[in-house]
Amino acid sequence: LRKVGPAPCGMGGGGEAVLAVVEPRAGASIDPAKLLADVREVLGPVKTPKAIEVMASLPRSNAGKVQRSELRKARWDAAGRTI
């Protein structure tokens, strides 16, 4: 992994759950199911994200920090709501 960023993901019934958004290192690939199983082993089922999404590139500020607000905005725009 190169970077990991949290983002909300809508769940059925209008609730929310944690979605991990990851960026692989250059030339590497990530199997989301295997990564989720590995994370579950370390964190346990309660702290494990409900899903993992792989992005080629995470949105970053000029300082190089992951812009979590942009990750959230894309999902809220797709859902047609904010919370």
Side-chain angles (χ1 to χ4, degrees):
L1 291 179
R2 184 158 188 260
K3 294 282 184 184
V4 178
C9 93
M11 299 297 287
E16 293 182 36
V18 175
L19 164 71
V21 181
V22 298
E23 176 183 323
R25 293 177 191 254
S29 63
I30 295 176
D31 176 6
K34 180 174 179 349
L35 181 57
L36 199 55
D38 292 346
V39 169
R40 185 171 282 114
E41 250 182 59
V42 175
L43 296 180
V46 174
K47 293 184 179 181
T48 299
K50 299 300 177 196
I52 293 179
E53 180 180 319
V54 179
M55 290 181 71
S57 174
L58 294 173
R60 289 189 176 71
S61 69
N62 291 335
K65 293 184 175 184
V66 174
Q67 292 182 308
R68 292 181 292 179
S69 61
E70 292 299 315
L71 293 172
R72 288 185 207 103
K73 184 179 181 309
R75 277 141 193 90
W76 289 129
D77 288 349
R81 62 185 181 97
T82 54
I83 289 188

